[in-house]
Amino acid sequence: MAFESLSEKLQNVFKNLRGKGRLTEADVKAALKEVKIALLEADVNFKVVKNFVKSVQERAIGQDVMNGLNPGQMVIKIVNEELVSLMGSETTEIALMPGNQVTVIMMIGLQGAGKTTTAAKIAGKLKMKGRQPLLVACDIYRPAAIKQLEVNGEKQGVEVFSMGTNHSPVDIAKAAIEHAKNNGQNVVILDTAGRLQIDESMMQELVDVKEAAGVTQTLLVVDAMTGQEAVNVATTFNDRIGVDGVILTKLDGDTRGGAALSIRQVTGKPILYIGMGEKLSDLEQFYPDRMASRILG
Ligand code: GDP
């Protein structure tokens, strides 16, 4: 389970604080040094860690202790609040167009991040909310990806629009939107091609699709297992394409979790959902407060 090691380390730090009736400045500083190490070991971005520890320290030292809490509990409360704020505080939803206007969602990310699976997971969620989604296969480089989308779409009871591999992604996206308008579908989800590494032609293709299709929401899918790299990928995609929200996949795995704690601060973009498994139902809304509780145990 993600965060296991971080959780354990933080709990150890706090165990020592919890019992104390009085906390000196030195106690707080020593505890926060341990917190800092634990966060760095969990692969949280170093600038994020630095700012985090600074904020907690400023609040914890010289703070009046609240009624009913001892100073140790107070520090834990502050750490919890700062973790929540680090992850964006509020839960963010995919912004859908009002009424029956068509929302166009573009899924982007590196190959293997979980884009195709997540596209189908999101289609299922939207369907449950009463929307009529259409999944669109814009990956013209890997016939297997088209097939995978078709299989997943069928499992979700969602139509998959595909034109094979002989048309440009821009043409496919435009044709899909027309198709959706003619068939009463109001959310078009474009599954785009990924590459093993970011390259210029991939970026340009995504920019072209985004513009031509009038994309409403660009959702970036990143693999939590890749840690700091996930954050770098998010920064690059956001700078080049513009990202509205992030979906962090594979948080069910044995990830150290640093990406979940860094992405919001580094990119300014919210995490919307987390992938918690390979099954199409394994997608959870991201709640910063619940994630903080999970980490603090
Ligand atoms: P794409 O290349 O970005 O479209 O990635 P895929 O959707 O093909 O996913 C790559 C692999 O990751 C597949 O084996 C998926 O089943 C798996 N996968 C996707 N999301 C998750 C997740 O949240 N948890 C786990 N454990 N596996 C996932």
Side-chain angles (χ1 to χ4, degrees):
M1 184 57 218
F3 297 117
E4 209 164 89
S5 162
L6 174 62
S7 243
E8 202 179 297
K9 284 176 195 151
L10 291 180
Q11 280 169 33
N12 274 334
V13 178
F14 295 139
K15 204 158 64 194
N16 298 330
L17 286 184
R18 221 180 268 273
K20 294 203 183 201
R22 284 180 59 86
L23 278 188
T24 64
E25 195 170 319
D27 288 333
V28 172
K29 283 190 172 158
L32 287 180
K33 203 170 160 200
E34 302 276 320
V35 169
K36 185 175 175 181
I37 293 169
L39 289 172
L40 288 172
E41 282 175 357
D43 210 18
V44 181
N45 174 281
F46 78 96
K47 278 192 201 146
V48 171
V49 175
K50 216 172 130 192
N51 289 334
F52 178 83
V53 171
K54 192 164 160 260
S55 309
V56 175
Q57 188 156 314
E58 278 170 9
R59 288 184 58 193
I61 292 175
Q63 164 120 7
D64 287 338
V65 174
M66 271 173 58
N67 266 350
L69 290 182
N70 70 34
Q73 289 167 327
M74 196 65 209
V75 174
I76 298 166
K77 184 171 181 292
I78 294 170
V79 168
N80 182 62
E81 286 169 4
E82 291 293 326
L83 276 178
V84 175
S85 125
L86 192 61
M87 290 184 283
S89 299
E90 300 288 317
T91 296
T92 312
E93 305 265 359
I94 297 177
L96 297 169
M97 300 292 284
N100 244 349
Q101 292 177 60
V102 176
T103 303
V104 182
I105 297 174
M106 179 168 81
M107 311 289 300
I108 62 175
L110 293 182
Q111 191 174 314
K115 214 175 334 88
T116 304
T117 314
T118 306
K121 287 177 174 178
I122 287 180
K125 283 227 181 300
L126 291 170
K127 198 179 152 189
M128 275 197 288
K129 283 189 185 166
R131 294 273 168 167
Q132 283 80 40
L134 175 70
L135 284 162
V136 184
C138 287
D139 185 347
I140 56 168
Y141 308 101
R142 290 192 312 138
I146 301 177
K147 182 77 198 149
Q148 187 193 348
L149 192 67
E150 284 169 350
V151 169
N152 285 339
E154 190 168 336
K155 281 190 197 160
Q156 299 289 57
V158 171
E159 186 186 344
V160 175
F161 183 94
S162 131
M163 289 167 62
T165 54
N166 293 327
H167 295 267
S168 74
V170 164
D171 288 344
I172 298 172
K174 283 185 181 165
I177 294 166
E178 269 315 298
H179 178 91
K181 285 181 180 158
N182 295 331
N183 289 277
Q185 284 138 333
N186 51 19
V187 189
V188 171
I189 305 173
L190 308 173
D191 182 28
T192 63
R195 307 279 201 283
L196 291 174
Q197 281 171 338
I198 294 169
D199 65 48
E200 181 46 34
S201 67
M202 169 201 202
M203 287 298 185
Q204 192 54 49
E205 181 178 299
L206 295 172
V207 169
D208 292 345
V209 172
K210 182 169 179 173
E211 200 180 289
V215 167
T216 332
Q217 290 273 284
T218 304
L219 304 185
L220 173 69
V221 179
V222 287
D223 177 347
M225 300 291 284
T226 61
Q228 297 262 355
E229 192 43 33
V231 182
N232 295 338
V233 166
T235 305
T236 308
F237 273 95
N238 186 41
D239 289 349
R240 187 72 170 80
I241 321 276
V243 166
D244 297 299
V246 177
I247 294 146
L248 195 57
T249 60
K250 308 185 194 179
L251 262 185
D252 52 310
D254 190 18
T255 157
R256 289 178 289 169
L261 289 171
S262 312
I263 279 182
R264 175 65 197 241
Q265 283 281 304
V266 175
T267 67
K269 301 300 170 180
I271 297 175
L272 304 181
Y273 290 103
I274 48 176
M276 296 297 289
E278 296 196 73
K279 288 207 305 290
L280 293 180
S281 53
D282 294 333
L283 187 73
E284 294 178 10
Q285 186 109 44
F286 182 70
Y287 297 100
D289 51 346
R290 289 188 201 170
M291 189 57 85
S293 308
R294 193 183 283 185
I295 293 168
L296 290 178

